[in-house]
């Protein structure tokens, strides 16, 4: 085990206390530090860091800070909530090569907006949303990369498909040709215990491996989007190809995570009394 990520408790001790990035230099330094952590995690398991895409997550931060991130090189930003993402997209329309990835749960009535401005949607977990997205995208004459969100933690109120439902869901996706299916996405259990976080990532990878062979024509299950500031090294060790990192780049968020994840505690990455937990 010693070649694996340092104890998650250590990672979590750093996490949540990330200082605010307030200059382009701060962003450059934080991005470099994250890339370094990615490289070290890859090295431990013999992976090529080029296989891992860093998706900076800018939710809760204001336009001025997003512009600093852009100046430091970020060209794709992840946002959890549609309204917030849309507002930022409109405010920053002058940055023509800045793209948006929506990584949070989507209601059908918001799918129309997402089809207008997002280049990627990572939280697909309903055929109704797929249908609305596809219809709007075809009207707009464009396509969008999508990830199927899977609930790997068993937490009742977490979004995402139950693992057993993913195979049938994926079989239905060729009906929506404007959606370019790239892979699977998950949020791990909120725990400082690597032994409990890792199985979520393993489950997603094994599911992907199992489904890849039978994936319908045009549906790619290559990608695994998993891992955030507090646990992305573990996710990379288990095969992540996309890591979604906010606080390690932008700084600790003031907004409680509960605002974004109904089950999360106010403090980032504390125990969220998951239903699967048998002991503490
Ligand atoms: C906020 C968020 C992240 C990033 O979390 P950090 O702790 O800021 O790294 C990743 N994925 C999703 C779905 C999020 O909402």
């Amino acid at each position: 085990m010693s070649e694996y990520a340092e104890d998650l408790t250590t990672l979590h001790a750093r996490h949540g206390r990330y200082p605010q990035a307030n200059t382009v230099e701060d962003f450059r330094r934080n991005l470099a530090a994250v890339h370094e952590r990615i490289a070290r995690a890859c090295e431990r398991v013999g992976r090529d860091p080029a296989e891992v895409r860093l998706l900076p997550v800018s939710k809760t931060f204001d336009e001025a800070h997003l512009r600093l991130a852009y100046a430091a090189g970020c060209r794709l930003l992840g946002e959890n909530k549609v309204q917030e993402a849309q507002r930022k997209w409109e405010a920053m329309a002058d940055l023509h090569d800045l793209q948006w990835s929506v990584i949070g749960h989507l209601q059908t009535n918001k799918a129309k907006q997402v089809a207008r401005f997002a280049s990627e949607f990572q939280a697909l977990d309903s055929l109704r949303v797929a249908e609305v997205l596809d219809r709007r995208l075809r009207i707009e004459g464009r396509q969008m990369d999508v990830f199927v969100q899977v609930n790997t933690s068993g937490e009742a109120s977490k979004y995402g498909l139950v693992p057993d439902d993913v195979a049938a869901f994926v079989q239905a996706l060729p009906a929506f040709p404007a959606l370019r299916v790239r892979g699977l996405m998950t949020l791990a259990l909120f725990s400082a215990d690597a032994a409990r976080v890792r199985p979520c990532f393993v489950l997603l990878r094994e599911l992907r491996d199992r489904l890849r062979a039978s994936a319908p024509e045009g549906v790619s299950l290559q990608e695994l989007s998993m891992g955030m500031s507090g646990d992305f090294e573990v996710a990379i060790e288990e095969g992540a190809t996309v890591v979604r990192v906010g606080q390690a780049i932008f700084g600790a968020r003031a907004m409680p995570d509960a605002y974004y994840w109904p089950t999360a505690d106010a403090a980032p990455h504390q125990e969220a009394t998951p239903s699967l937990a048998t002991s503490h």
Side-chain angles (χ1 to χ4, degrees):
M1 274 323 226
S2 61
E3 80 271 20
Y4 275 158
E6 59 186 300
D7 192 286
L8 265 187
T9 314
T10 320
L11 296 177
H12 284 273
R14 282 211 301 270
H15 181 70
R17 285 201 324 235
Y18 294 106
Q20 298 300 310
N22 289 315
T23 65
V24 180
E25 218 21 75
D26 289 345
F27 277 98
R28 286 210 184 95
R29 192 192 53 237
N30 291 351
L31 286 163
V34 170
H35 280 297
E36 177 61 31
R37 285 170 63 186
I38 291 172
R40 281 203 308 267
C42 284
E43 203 177 315
R44 281 194 290 276
V45 290
R47 295 186 61 195
D48 178 355
E51 292 170 16
V52 181
R53 168 161 69 100
L54 171 61
L55 172 59
V57 175
S58 51
K59 70 186 192 209
T60 75
F61 294 96
D62 65 15
E63 182 189 336
H65 286 86
L66 271 60
R67 285 185 182 271
L68 292 173
Y70 178 89
C74 298
R75 290 297 178 270
L76 177 66
L77 294 175
E79 287 282 338
N80 184 300
K81 288 194 179 288
V82 175
Q83 245 132 352
E84 183 180 343
Q86 185 169 13
R87 187 166 38 77
K88 290 172 174 175
W89 166 67
E90 279 164 2
M92 283 178 264
D94 57 305
L95 306 177
H96 297 295
D97 58 347
L98 178 59
Q99 298 196 307
W100 300 91
S101 175
V102 172
I103 60 176
H105 179 75
L106 191 54
Q107 282 163 340
T108 322
N109 60 356
K110 302 263 175 66
K112 198 170 146 177
Q113 280 108 291
V114 168
R116 280 187 62 207
F117 70 85
S119 68
E120 179 177 274
F121 174 51
Q122 291 213 357
L124 185 64
D125 63 0
S126 105
L127 290 178
R128 287 204 45 216
V129 167
E131 192 187 330
V132 178
L133 270 181
D134 180 68
R135 193 180 336 123
R136 290 305 306 183
L137 284 164
R138 286 203 262 168
I139 290 168
E140 309 258 342
R142 48 186 294 254
Q143 294 189 313
M144 182 181 287
D145 290 337
V146 298
F147 290 66
V148 175
Q149 184 172 359
V150 183
N151 181 342
T152 55
S153 68
E155 291 167 286
S157 48
K158 275 251 175 77
Y159 294 118
L161 296 167
V162 176
D164 282 349
D165 291 347
V166 178
F169 186 82
V170 162
Q171 291 299 323
L173 292 179
F176 313 110
L179 305 183
R180 284 187 303 238
V181 185
R182 295 305 194 200
L184 307 179
M185 176 273 217
T186 200
L187 279 163
L189 194 73
F190 294 104
S191 172
D193 182 358
R196 291 173 58 201
V197 172
R198 193 180 296 276
C200 299
F201 299 139
V202 171
L203 195 159
L204 197 72
R205 184 193 64 228
E206 290 181 350
L207 186 63
R208 192 267 321 258
D209 292 348
R210 203 154 11 94
L211 298 184
R212 200 153 43 175
S214 58
E217 178 96 15
V219 170
S220 163
L221 292 182
Q222 207 54 39
E223 306 279 337
L224 290 175
S225 176
M226 54 190 198
M228 321 190 300
S229 293
D231 57 18
F232 72 76
E233 281 100 334
V234 181
I236 288 170
E237 289 168 0
E238 298 303 339
T241 64
V242 179
V243 292
R244 309 176 307 267
V245 178
Q247 299 183 80
I249 296 171
F250 284 82
R253 272 188 303 276
M255 191 76 85
D257 277 359
Y259 178 69
Y260 290 93
W261 306 301
T263 56
D265 272 10
H269 281 253
Q270 289 190 346
E271 294 290 344
T273 57
S275 55
L276 275 191
T278 49
S279 63
H280 184 81

